[in-house]
Amino acid sequence: MPDPSSRPHLVLGNTRTTEPFTSPSAGGGIKTAVPAQDRARHAAALRAQFVQVAQTQVARVAEQRQANVQTAIGVQIEFESMPGVELAAERLARDRSGIELMNVRAAGGQVLATVFVPEGKLTHFERLLEDYVAERKDSRGHPRDNQRLVDAVRAVRVATFDSIWTDDPAVLPAEDGAAIWWEAWLPAGAHRQQAIDDFRRLAELAGLQTRERALHFPERSIVLLHGSRAQLLQAPLVLNAIAELRRAKDTADFFDAMAADEQQRWADELADRLVGVAQDGDCPYVTLMDTGVNNAHPLLASFVGDADLHTLEPAWQVDDHNGHGTELAGLALLGDLTLALADDSDLLVGHRLESVKILEQPGGNKGESYGDLTSEAVARVEVTAIDRRRVFSMSVTATDGRDRGRPSSWSSAIDRLAADFDDEGAAPRLFLLSAGNTPDNHAWSNYPASLTTNSAHDPAQAWNAITVGAFSQLTNITEPDTDDFRPVAPVDGLSPFTTTSATWSRDWPFKPDIVMEGGNAAIDSGGFACTMPSLSLLTTDHQPQVRSFTTSRATSAATALASKLAAEIWAAYPTLWPETVRGLLVHSARWTPRMLEDYLGPQKTRISLTQLLRHCGYGVPDPRRALASASNSLTLLVQDRLQPYERTDKGIKTRDMHLHALPWPIEVLESLGETPVTLRVTLSYFIEPNPGERGLADKYAYQSHALRFAVRRPLETEAAFRARVNARARDEEVGLPAQGPGDPQWFIGDRLRRRGSLLSDTWSGSTAELAQRGQIAIYPAMGWWRNRPVLGRAERTARYALLVSIEAPEVEADLYAAVQLKVETAQAIQIAV
C-alpha cells in the first residue's frame, strides 16, 4: 500500500479525476541555531561528565588488554545535543588522533552521536573545553574555541547498547527475548582483519556465536552475531567494538526449518493479521495458470474461493498435487512470507486469487498445443465471471530457449489473447510470464557467463506480455555447517536462475521486461552450486496438514511477486487499462547500481546499453513509484486511442498523430533554473500478432502496427515539432535512419528504444530546459495492418497508455500541486499527419 503522505498519479483526459491525499505537516525538527551557553558553567558540567567517562575508560582498557585485543583499544562515548539543536557531529572526530565517529542518530528532537576515543585521547576534549572557556583565537585572530559545537552538547556519557542500535525500534527484541542473529557493523580502520579477529574473540568469550563470512565496505565490516539481547547487555567489550548494531534480516531457512506444529502457530498468527480490504467481485484477481492451488491453507482460504478453482482436465481435479501452484499462490497473494512473519502489524490484501490447473506434473501435456491450452484456460475463468479485472500469471514455460525471440504458436496466442482484436467489444488482457530458468547447478557455477548464454524460454518472447526475470538481494546464508559456501550472485545482481534475451536477434523486443526477487544459489570452494532455504523465498506449502511453509525461487517466484504488484496497482486505480498497469510496472522500474556496473560499465555505448536491456530489462519495479506520486516526483497517465492508418484512393496511408500538451508549471520550473530533473516517458500498447517465418523480407510482418513517441525540444516551435515528427515517420516508413541531430540527453535514445510494444526512456536535464518541453507526440509506424491490405485491418483503431513522470529530488516546491491545477484543462490535440 502507498505511504499515507503519498498522492495518487494524475490522469489526464476524461477517464477520471483524482484528488491528492493530505500531506502531513512538517512538525518539529532539528534547528540549526545554537543558543549560547554560560561558558564557565557549561564547561564545568561537561568536565564532570568526562571524569566519569575517563574512569570507565581505564577499566575498559584493562579488560581489553586482558582479552588480548590488538585494535580499537579505548572507549565509545555518546554525545547528546541540546533539545531541538543541531549537533555538528562530524567535528567530534579527529582522524589524526584516532577519534572516530561511529554513528549519528536523531531521537525526540535531539541528535545523539557515538564516538570512539582511543586510550589517552580524552585529553583532546579537555583542551577543547579549555579553549572554549578562554575564548582563544588562532594566530590569524579567528576563534578556535568551537563555541557552536560545545554549546550544542547537553551531555556526555559512556556508550551503551542503545548508543549503537541504529535499526528500527520495532524490530528490537525484548531484554528477555530469545537469541537471534544480529548485524555487527564494525569500524574498518587500517587493520580490518585484525579488528574482525578481535571482535570474534570477544564474542566467543561472551558466549556469542559469529559467522565466518563478513561483508566489507570502505569504512565498515559487517559480521553476523548470534545471541540474545540479555547476553549483549552483559558483554560491554563486545558492544564497545561495534559501530552500529542492527537486526539481521530473517531468512526463509528460519521458518522452513521449524517443526510442523511451530510452523502452524506462525501461520495461524499471520492469518489473524490478514485484512481483506475489497469485497469478492469488486477487486482485481491474480489468475494462476499452473499446477492448481490447495485453498485449504489457512493463509489462502479467505482469498481463494472453491468456485475460483478450475482445471483443464476434470480427471486431474482442481487441487495441487505437485506444490508449484500453491507456492506461487502464497507469493502472489502475500509476497515473501519471511517479511510478513517478521512483522506484527495487520497485512492489508486488496486482491484475490483464482486458479486454472493447466499442468498436473512437470513434463505433462505431451502432444498438446500450449497456445490452445492457454486459450482454453482463459475461457474457463471468463465464462464464470467475465467482468473481473484479471492479472493472468503463468510460470509454465518450454524447457529450452531455442526460439531466441522468434514468435511461436504459444507466444503468438498470448499476444492475441492480450490484444483481443478478434472480437467486437474487445477486452484486452494483462499477462505476466516467467522468463524461464537456467537448467541446472552447472549453469549456476558458471555465473555470470551463464546469464548471457541461457536464452529466455517460450512463451517469454510474447510482445504484449510482461516477461519477468529474477534478481536477488538474498545473500545471508544461515544454515549450519555452510561456512565453505558463499552466495553465487552479489547483492542486487541478477539471480543465477534467470534467463535473458542476450542471444536474440536485434529486432526482437528486450526481454525480460522487469526483474523481481527470485532468490540466489550458493557455491562452495570446489565449485559445487546448490539451492538453500536461506537464499529462497518463503511461501505456502501445498500440504498444510503436514507443513505450513515451504520455499520457492527462480523466475516462477519472481513472476508471482510481479503479479502481486500488478494486482495492487489495479486495486489502487480500478479504471486503468491492462496496457496502463503493464506500463506502470516498467515505468516504476530502475536498474540497481550493480546491474549498471555489470552491464553498462564505465562508459555508456550502444552495445553496453543493449546488453543492459537484454539482461535486466528496465530493472526492478519500485512499488512506491508504481502506486503513488509525491510532491517533487509525479506521474501523469493518459489512456487514449488513435487510428494508425486509413484507406485512400492512393492506397493505405498513415492517418493519426496525437499531440499531448504536458501541464508543466512553466513559471515554477523556470524559476528553479539549473536544478537537475529527469523526465521519464513510457508508451504501452498491444499489437495484433501475425506469426510466420518470413525471414528478412518484411520486418514489420508480425506487428499489426507500431507506435512511437517524441518530445518537443527547447526552442522548437510547435510547427517545427510537428514537421520533425512527420519527417521521422516518413523516414521510418521507407527504412531510412533518423535525419538531423539527435537528442543525447535521452538515456536509451530513439533508435534503440524502438523494440516491441513497450517503450520507455529517461531524459535528464535542468528544470529550465524541461519547462520548454511541453508537448509529446504519439505517432504510428509501420505494421501489417498497413502492409497487408488484403486482410482488411487498415482502418482499425488502437489503444495506448502514455505515462510521463518528472522527478526533481532537490526541489522543495510542490510540483504535484502546481501540475494538478493545470490537469483539468490539459487535452490531447488530434491532428492529421
Side-chain angles (χ1 to χ4, degrees), residues 579-611:
E579 298 96 323
T580 317
V581 177
R582 173 193 185 224
L584 274 170
L585 288 171
V586 164
H587 195 75
S588 67
R590 300 294 185 270
W591 297 293
T592 67
R594 184 74 200 202
M595 293 173 190
L596 294 172
E597 178 184 342
D598 287 346
Y599 297 105
L600 195 63
Q603 184 175 3
K604 183 179 74 172
T605 66
R606 182 180 175 83
I607 293 176
S608 64
L609 264 175
T610 301
Q611 287 298 302

Side-chain angles (χ1 to χ4, degrees), residues 139-154:
S139 59
R140 293 174 296 177
H142 297 151
R144 68 173 191 184
D145 57 5
N146 289 287
Q147 180 184 0
R148 282 175 53 85
L149 174 62
V150 179
D151 279 345
V153 176
R154 178 184 183 183

Side-chain angles (χ1 to χ4, degrees), residues 430-503:
L430 178 62
F431 280 86
L432 274 75
L433 310 175
S434 69
N437 302 325
T438 50
D440 50 39
N441 60 348
H442 296 295
W444 311 337
S445 300
N446 292 323
Y447 179 94
S450 58
L451 300 176
T452 300
T453 57
N454 283 281
S455 178
H457 300 178
D458 187 22
Q461 67 269 42
W463 287 42
N464 293 338
I466 284 284
T467 301
V468 186
F471 88 118
S472 190
Q473 296 181 320
L474 302 177
T475 58
N476 183 17
I477 299 174
T478 58
E479 285 83 355
D481 303 321
T482 56
D483 286 341
D484 191 39
F485 283 86
R486 61 173 177 82
V488 170
V491 171
D492 284 341
L494 287 183
S495 167
F497 308 124
T498 198
T499 53
T500 69
S501 62
T503 61

Side-chain angles (χ1 to χ4, degrees), residues 530-589:
C530 62
T531 62
M532 289 188 178
S534 61
L535 300 180
S536 306
L537 293 82
L538 192 74
T539 186
T540 45
D541 194 277
H542 74 298
Q543 295 179 303
Q545 71 278 12
V546 178
R547 289 173 55 82
S548 297
F549 307 129
T550 188
T551 56
S552 186
R553 63 192 63 81
T555 58
S556 294
T559 303
L561 294 181
S563 302
K564 173 179 179 287
L565 177 56
E568 289 171 342
I569 293 171
W570 229 339
Y573 301 95
T575 60
L576 294 187
W577 293 347
E579 298 96 323
T580 317
V581 177
R582 173 193 185 224
L584 274 170
L585 288 171
V586 164
H587 195 75
S588 67

Side-chain angles (χ1 to χ4, degrees), residues 212-227:
E212 284 301 314
R213 284 180 296 272
L215 287 175
H216 299 295
F217 298 97
E219 294 185 291
R220 293 289 183 264
S221 299
I222 304 174
V223 176
L224 287 182
L225 175 72
H226 190 262

Side-chain angles (χ1 to χ4, degrees), residues 19-102:
E19 295 295 329
F21 296 136
T22 303
S23 296
S25 60
I30 305 298
K31 296 177 286 189
T32 57
V34 180
Q37 306 293 325
D38 181 302
R39 294 193 183 217
R41 183 180 303 168
H42 187 50
L46 294 179
R47 280 195 179 104
Q49 295 168 20
F50 272 115
V51 168
Q52 296 178 0
V53 169
Q55 293 172 350
T56 300
Q57 186 183 53
V58 171
R60 186 70 48 82
V61 167
E63 293 171 345
Q64 289 170 327
R65 296 200 184 281
Q66 185 177 359
N68 198 28
V69 171
Q70 303 296 312
T71 60
I73 297 175
V75 68
Q76 289 193 27
I77 62 178
E78 182 178 67
F79 290 82
E80 175 189 335
S81 77
M82 296 288 183
V85 168
E86 181 181 20
L87 175 66
E90 68 282 356
R91 296 180 61 188
L92 295 169
R94 302 284 292 180
D95 291 339
R96 287 176 295 178
S97 61
I99 300 175
E100 182 180 355
L101 184 64
M102 297 286 100

